[in-house]
Amino acid sequence: MVDVTAAARVEMAEIIVNECLCGKAKQLEKAEVDGIRIGLQPDVVTYNTLIAAYCRCVGIDAGYSVLHRMKEVGINPDVITYNSLIAGATRYCLLFECLDLFDEMLEMNILPDIWSYNTLMNCFFKLGKPDEAYRAFQDILLKDISVHSATFNILCNGLCMNGYTENSLMLLRSLKRYGFIPQLVTYNNLIHGLCKSGRGKAAMEFLNELEESGHIPNAITYTTVMTCCFRYRQFEEGLKIFAEMKNKGYTYDVFAYCTVASMLLKTGRITEANEYLGYIVTSGFSLDTVSFNTIVYLYCKEGQLENAYKLLYEAEKGGLESDKYTHAILIDGLCKTGNFQEARQQLNRMSMTGFDSNLVAWNSFINGLCKAGHFDHALQTFESMDVKDSVTLP
DNA sequence: CTAGGGTTAG
């Protein structure tokens, strides 16, 4: 494990970003440049691949800029181009972007296919709009587009995510009667959904069914089950699962590491968390916003706010976008170290970049003020807030 | 090319 002293960290930010920021997108960028140099003309497939990779690794804006680039060189986007962008927008929960892209697609006479609808449906579900998701499903049937097994998986998963666990299980049972064979992803979704809705036992029963029906659990299954353990405070059990996935030779990735590291940070096991995060930094994994957030979380827990900012500055230079978690983690960290003015500034920056309804961040701020005895300021902030929840209340 | 896992307050 690397010895991550405070001094070393300042230098490390740049290294982390240069070595680990989105290796895939960087490779693609290099591939594109190399391809052009040796005289290969990038075609629509090249650009579609780039859009998908940029959306996944960097952000939706990076995807759009590729769209503009391809239009500039006279290559017409196709249904896959738009599907990739819609998927990108869905990844970042940007419903209006999704709908705009859908409209743009229709205006350009590009016919949406099953994946366009699947993704749109998924976006509605992700944003807690099951009724509209269902309407998108009806659209599929109405337009006589042939459904894909993913359509059912998205339906089952969406119902679970929106609190309709029973309906999801019912749907699955009836789909089975019609000959639908649950896939690994179906089981993974169910385990995740059941666990999230507090039904850990039922989740584990589906883990058994998954194995009995001949499927082999993958990294996603393991990460899901591990998260389930941590949720029910079965820390050692979860760590055992992590060890198992490593020992069995399954691909274990940054997802698993971030899960473990966060649990360790939350339970005050900072040194161990440091080891896990040190490992993902030195092992050449390509890191995304969530991984960076987890490292920032570590810095905050250690009170090293300067290093947190340094890292984020470098990450942003590398094209990575902060999200609501980044802001919440920073604001909480600033409050815990008594930097209320900085926290206030961070809240402003957060609102300016479009994360104005980030309750967790505001709650952290108020909580921090209360803990430090600044009750007037806390009350004043509380009254200025438009949206509140049960955590906001003192 | 396009669905599933990971990160924040109390």
Side-chain angles (χ1 to χ4, degrees):
Chain A
M1 289 302 154
V2 272
D3 174 44
V4 200
T5 60
R9 286 234 175 99
V10 182
E11 301 305 318
M12 237 174 79
E14 278 177 58
I15 299 167
I16 294 176
V17 172
N18 287 332
E19 307 262 316
C20 315
L21 184 64
C22 225
K24 216 191 266 171
K26 272 194 176 166
Q27 276 168 31
L28 279 159
E29 202 176 334
K30 191 179 173 295
E32 189 193 358
V33 172
D34 288 350
I36 291 166
R37 204 178 50 215
I38 60 169
L40 288 175
Q41 280 296 321
D43 61 4
V44 65
V45 179
T46 321
Y47 281 105
N48 289 347
T49 314
L50 279 170
I51 288 176
Y54 276 114
C55 285
R56 184 182 293 271
C57 302
V58 187
I60 184 76
D61 289 340
Y64 277 121
S65 79
V66 179
L67 177 70
H68 293 137
R69 254 159 62 208
M70 75 188 278
K71 281 182 179 168
E72 264 170 28
V73 297
I75 292 171
N76 291 327
D78 62 7
V79 61
I80 295 170
T81 316
Y82 277 95
N83 286 351
S84 303
L85 284 166
I86 294 172
T90 300
R91 187 178 301 277
Y92 302 102
C93 293
L94 303 166
L95 178 60
F96 290 113
E97 307 255 1
C98 267
L99 295 172
D100 281 350
L101 285 162
F102 219 89
D103 286 342
E104 200 176 306
M105 199 167 160
L106 293 171
E107 274 166 27
M108 293 181 71
N109 283 321
I110 300 169
L111 213 61
D113 66 5
I114 186 62
W115 278 104
S116 325
Y117 280 100
N118 284 349
T119 314
L120 182 66
M121 208 166 81
N122 196 31
C123 191
F124 280 130
F125 273 130
K126 264 182 105 166
L127 281 139
K129 299 175 182 297
D131 293 340
E132 294 180 56
Y134 190 66
R135 221 171 297 150
F137 177 63
Q138 286 176 315
D139 242 19
I140 297 173
L141 304 178
L142 220 70
K143 297 214 163 71
D144 218 17
I145 300 169
S146 56
V147 290
H148 188 275
S149 63
T151 314
F152 298 127
N153 285 330
I154 290 169
L155 268 175
C156 281
N157 187 40
L159 287 169
C160 271
M161 283 197 306
N162 283 277
Y164 300 100
T165 319
E166 274 317 313
N167 302 57
S168 177
L169 292 173
M170 262 158 52
L171 174 68
L172 184 70
R173 273 194 290 273
S174 69
L175 284 173
K176 272 181 175 170
R177 278 198 296 275
Y178 283 102
F180 175 75
I181 300 163
Q183 303 151 304
L184 184 57
V185 51
T186 321
Y187 284 110
N188 286 348
N189 285 342
L190 273 172
I191 293 169
H192 182 234
L194 287 167
C195 179
K196 228 180 157 185
S197 58
R199 298 174 57 180
K201 237 184 121 182
M204 289 310 115
E205 279 163 20
F206 272 105
L207 178 63
N208 288 333
E209 191 183 311
L210 176 159
E211 285 173 320
E212 279 162 14
S213 55
H215 288 105
I216 297 164
N218 64 3
I220 296 176
T221 320
Y222 277 106
T223 316
T224 308
V225 173
M226 196 164 71
T227 309
C228 192
C229 288
F230 293 154
R231 196 192 149 87
Y232 295 102
R233 309 188 64 79
Q234 307 285 312
F235 301 123
E236 296 314 312
E237 192 65 33
L239 287 173
K240 246 188 256 165
I241 288 163
F242 181 75
E244 189 187 323
M245 80 189 272
K246 265 171 80 170
N247 295 337
K248 280 195 178 170
Y250 290 120
T251 50
Y252 52 98
D253 47 23
V254 270
F255 279 67
Y257 274 96
C258 288
T259 312
V260 174
S262 299
M263 178 280 286
L264 293 170
L265 287 171
K266 261 200 175 138
T267 52
R269 294 158 73 170
I270 316 275
T271 315
E272 289 165 85
N274 203 343
E275 282 176 12
Y276 282 93
L277 291 173
Y279 180 74
I280 64 166
V281 166
T282 51
S283 297
F285 282 120
S286 66
L287 306 184
D288 58 5
T289 302
V290 178
S291 337
F292 276 96
N293 286 346
T294 314
I295 300 171
V296 168
Y297 187 33
L298 166 72
Y299 286 170
C300 287
K301 284 275 177 194
E302 294 178 322
Q304 301 194 25
L305 272 300
E306 270 182 45
N307 290 332
Y309 273 105
K310 170 96 179 165
L311 177 63
L312 284 175
Y313 174 74
E314 294 295 334
E316 260 168 41
K317 249 188 4 196
L320 207 77
E321 289 164 15
S322 294
D323 63 5
K324 62 173 183 172
Y325 288 88
T326 323
H327 291 292
I329 292 165
L330 278 174
I331 286 156
D332 189 57
L334 288 166
C335 289
K336 295 243 161 78
T337 49
N339 293 312
F340 294 106
Q341 275 197 332
E342 296 258 2
R344 182 67 235 197
Q345 280 170 17
Q346 186 64 40
L347 278 166
N348 290 340
R349 273 198 293 276
M350 180 182 86
S351 298
M352 279 192 305
T353 42
F355 299 102
D356 38 3
S357 54
N358 191 353
L359 255 179
V360 177
W362 285 97
N363 289 346
S364 290
F365 186 58
I366 291 182
N367 197 270
L369 287 170
C370 287
K371 278 205 172 139
H374 305 305
F375 298 111
D376 291 347
H377 194 176
L379 201 64
Q380 190 192 321
T381 311
F382 177 77
E383 278 163 0
S384 72
M385 285 168 63
D386 299 331
V387 194
K388 292 157 192 167
D389 68 2
S390 58
V391 182
T392 322
L393 300 166

